[in-house]
Amino acid sequence: MIRDWNEPVRYPDPAVKVLDRCFRQYVLGSAALERLYVGCRWAEGPVWFGDGRYLLWSDIPNDRILRWDEITGSVTTFRQPADNANGNTRDRQGRLVTCEHGARRVTRTEHDGTVTVLMDRLDGKRLNAPNDVVVHSDGGIWFTDPGYGIHVNYEGHKAPFELPERVYRLDPDTLEPTVVDETLVKPNGLAFAPDYSILYIVDTGASHKPGHPRTISAFDVVDGKTLANGRIFCDMGNCSSDGIRVDIDGNVWSAAGWGGEGSDGVHVFAPDGDKIGEIHLPEVVSNVCFGGVKRNRLFMTGSQSLYSIYVETQGVSYV
């Protein structure tokens, strides 16, 4: 999609593609795709802070977390160095929880700005490179550890794997870790259904293998602590997923990339796994989140940029 970002867009925005009529209810005819910032090397991990009306996101190779202010539109550096931070979320107390490639750990930023290490090793072995993180309604912290930060030096520090690629849960009270899945090749983005009964997990293990399925899996969440009945939720086709979020109707909004022009952007799947819509962007998209005053603004981290578009739904509030 070639667009002059200094020129207005004729409504409805041609970047939004309706694949199923049920997606029309979420499309605003007078809302356009906006590029809010450009200048990253690999943008990731957007998280919305509604109480401050700002968005944080990671720029992994530049070793920083950036802050976009909704009121002024300004972008400032929230933290640098940031241990090659990747995925971010907020816990039930509104604190920032971050996956760090560089230090190979999951951290929590307290309200006073101090940083608490939640987990960095298991049985004396270092985590690979935690990637993405979500928080359950009971306060449990769930994160993936595919190890992309130790593959090469660009997004962390190249090193051998000490542990298998897994999904973990940290107990909300004791921070005791539990391995909840190790069946996926490269567990990546993850998100809970609105009622927390399902956990969706992206597997990017086949991203660079032509002809292999590129899938998002669904697991039943048992008693808020374990996973069962893993199955394929959807196949991304020629694209690879990465970060995902879920709206209040249970639709899954997935980052999409590596499919080329006309495929890269955001793909939207109904609760039954059918793809119902797309939002086309001019670069690979790594992650998404809902924000804004009414949680009806979709933020998207592209390869080098931050984008947004208003939609007629709301993201699930996890705080």
Side-chain angles (χ1 to χ4, degrees), residues 19-265:
L19 302 179
D20 187 289
R21 62 183 181 181
C22 70
F23 185 62
R24 292 188 185 279
Q25 63 185 306
Y26 305 117
V27 178
L28 294 168
S30 57
L33 186 66
E34 303 171 64
R35 178 185 271 170
L36 305 176
Y37 178 81
V38 62
C40 298
R41 285 201 170 100
W42 182 247
E44 251 283 10
V47 57
W48 176 252
F49 281 72
D51 41 354
R53 293 187 64 181
Y54 63 87
L55 181 95
L56 298 181
W57 82 98
S58 302
D59 182 4
I60 305 175
N62 283 323
D63 195 17
R64 60 183 180 172
I65 297 175
L66 297 174
R67 181 185 189 274
W68 175 81
D69 187 285
E70 184 181 39
I71 299 173
T72 66
S74 63
V75 173
T76 54
T77 299
F78 173 79
R79 178 179 294 159
Q80 189 175 31
D83 281 310
N84 300 110
N86 187 339
N88 299 286
T89 193
R90 299 182 77 185
D91 68 9
R92 306 302 293 186
Q93 290 73 45
R95 296 169 294 190
L96 174 68
V97 179
T98 301
C99 293
E100 298 176 358
H101 280 186
R104 298 167 66 170
R105 64 187 187 179
V106 179
T107 64
R108 181 178 66 214
T109 301
E110 309 296 345
H111 292 303
D112 63 4
T114 58
V115 175
T116 300
V117 178
L118 302 181
M119 183 178 177
D120 62 357
R121 60 190 67 233
L122 181 68
D123 297 331
K125 298 178 181 180
R126 299 185 69 188
L127 294 176
N128 302 321
N131 188 286
D132 210 348
V133 57
V134 291
V135 176
H136 191 274
S137 59
D138 67 4
I141 297 170
W142 300 59
F143 70 92
T144 56
D145 189 29
Y148 286 115
I150 59 174
H151 281 196
V152 296
N153 287 316
Y154 186 57
E155 293 188 7
H157 309 292
K158 188 174 181 179
F161 280 72
E162 298 181 31
L163 291 165
E165 294 92 331
R166 292 166 166 165
V167 184
Y168 294 91
R169 174 188 182 267
L170 298 181
D171 183 89
D173 299 316
T174 66
L175 295 181
E176 185 71 23
T178 304
V179 177
V180 292
D181 183 75
E182 50 186 347
T183 65
L184 302 177
V185 179
K186 287 287 186 183
N188 201 311
L190 68 175
F192 286 108
D195 62 359
Y196 295 90
S197 64
I198 298 172
L199 179 66
Y200 299 99
I201 309 176
V202 172
D203 189 350
T204 49
S207 332
H208 306 294
K209 297 178 181 178
H212 286 247
R214 304 178 181 188
T215 58
I216 300 174
S217 292
F219 295 81
D220 295 332
V221 181
V222 181
D223 297 328
K225 296 180 179 180
T226 60
L227 299 179
N229 190 29
R231 66 271 187 194
I232 300 300
F233 169 69
C234 68
D235 187 331
M236 293 291 293
N238 69 323
C239 287
S240 179
S241 181
D242 198 334
I244 55 176
R245 291 294 186 275
V246 178
D247 68 25
I248 57 175
D249 292 330
N251 301 301
V252 176
W253 299 65
S254 171
W258 316 109
E261 187 175 350
S263 294
D264 294 342

